[in-house]
Amino acid sequence: MMAYRSKMYTALQKIRKDKEAEPTEFEENVAQALFDLENTNQELKSDLKDLFINSALQIDISGSKKAVVIHVPYRLRKSFRKIHPRLVRELEKKFSGKEVVLVATRRIVRPPKKGSAVQRPRSRTLTAVHEAILEDVVYPAEIVGKRVRYRLDGSKIIKIFLDPKAKNDTENKLEAFAGVYRKLSGKDVVFDFPAKDARFW
């Protein structure tokens, strides 16, 4: 029992939550997975050494399909991106083939009060944060176009086109991408690849 606690304590160094909140059982499992990879995977060992996450959750996509969303510190996002394909591949093995999505932790700042001299950075606006989350969700695929369609009831659906070069690696993840983005932003999006010679405006 002591050995397990000691191991778990070490693994918990891989997660640092806001205001020193206690991690959930699922977050502990993700931290343990990262810790195990750092100690057993020679390819990822040195890159993972200084990396940690902020939070993790499991979400339902459709039917019995689930995805794992891992929030990583904004300042470490470039380091995580460096190992993104390898890390995601290994984590998906550990979580029984569930799609794994890494998203940088960002904060939305409310608009300043009327007459206030305080200026809000554009990167902290709701629109900018949602756009950045969208880019994180589909990474390493790149977004090459967007179209907005309005339904008869006035609601809108956003169609996001991804670079066809990433089709082989991402085609089976599109449903998971849409489910994760809906959970994080509240917006409905559909992901697709553009037809040849498609134009966007």
Side-chain angles (χ1 to χ4, degrees), residues 76-148:
L76 296 179
R77 76 193 189 288
K78 287 183 181 173
S79 300
F80 271 102
R81 283 191 167 192
K82 201 172 113 186
I83 56 170
H84 186 283
R86 288 172 292 155
L87 180 59
V88 166
R89 188 170 62 243
E90 293 302 323
L91 287 173
E92 285 177 347
K93 286 182 200 168
K94 285 186 174 286
F95 288 98
S96 311
K98 295 182 180 82
E99 306 291 356
V100 173
V101 176
L102 304 181
V103 179
T105 302
R106 294 178 174 85
R107 285 185 177 79
I108 295 165
V109 175
R110 289 179 182 175
K113 288 179 181 171
K114 212 169 182 181
S116 169
V118 178
Q119 283 208 320
R120 177 176 58 158
R122 191 196 168 277
S123 63
R124 295 291 184 89
T125 64
L126 180 75
T127 303
V129 168
H130 283 179
E131 281 175 5
I133 288 172
L134 189 58
E135 287 174 8
D136 282 351
V137 167
V138 302
Y139 188 83
E142 287 186 14
I143 295 167
V144 295
K146 292 180 191 176
R147 281 193 185 137
V148 179

Side-chain angles (χ1 to χ4, degrees), residues 176-188:
F177 288 168
V180 169
Y181 188 66
R182 188 184 305 114
K183 174 76 176 175
L184 298 179
S185 70
K187 293 177 180 174
D188 274 331

Side-chain angles (χ1 to χ4, degrees), residues 9 19-20 30 41 59 61 63 84 86 96 102 106 131 134-135 146 160 162 167 170 196:
Y9 173 74
K19 298 170 185 169
E20 297 181 4
V30 174
N41 189 303
I59 66 167
I61 301 299
H84 186 283
R86 288 172 292 155
S96 311
L102 304 181
R106 294 178 174 85
E131 281 175 5
L134 189 58
E135 287 174 8
K146 292 180 191 176
I160 307 292
L162 303 179
K167 191 169 185 176
T170 55
K196 205 175 175 184

Side-chain angles (χ1 to χ4, degrees), residues 5-123:
R5 280 183 182 167
S6 170
K7 189 180 179 190
M8 198 64 236
Y9 173 74
T10 315
L12 288 177
Q13 293 175 337
K14 303 307 286 180
I15 180 164
R16 297 182 200 170
K17 291 177 70 76
D18 268 357
K19 298 170 185 169
E20 297 181 4
E22 285 291 312
T24 64
E25 187 181 344
F26 182 70
E27 288 173 333
E28 287 182 1
N29 291 341
V30 174
Q32 184 67 56
L34 288 168
F35 180 73
D36 290 345
L37 282 173
E38 184 184 325
N39 285 281
T40 60
N41 189 303
Q42 291 305 314
E43 204 183 348
L44 291 167
K45 189 179 179 80
S46 59
D47 289 309
L48 279 174
K49 187 164 66 77
D50 298 319
L51 298 183
F52 58 90
I53 65 171
N54 291 138
S55 63
L57 70 153
Q58 190 169 239
I59 66 167
D60 295 319
I61 301 299
S62 65
S64 59
K65 203 172 179 183
K66 294 179 186 296
V68 176
V69 182
I70 301 172
H71 280 95
V72 306
Y74 182 77
R75 65 182 178 82
L76 296 179
R77 76 193 189 288
K78 287 183 181 173
S79 300
F80 271 102
R81 283 191 167 192
K82 201 172 113 186
I83 56 170
H84 186 283
R86 288 172 292 155
L87 180 59
V88 166
R89 188 170 62 243
E90 293 302 323
L91 287 173
E92 285 177 347
K93 286 182 200 168
K94 285 186 174 286
F95 288 98
S96 311
K98 295 182 180 82
E99 306 291 356
V100 173
V101 176
L102 304 181
V103 179
T105 302
R106 294 178 174 85
R107 285 185 177 79
I108 295 165
V109 175
R110 289 179 182 175
K113 288 179 181 171
K114 212 169 182 181
S116 169
V118 178
Q119 283 208 320
R120 177 176 58 158
R122 191 196 168 277
S123 63

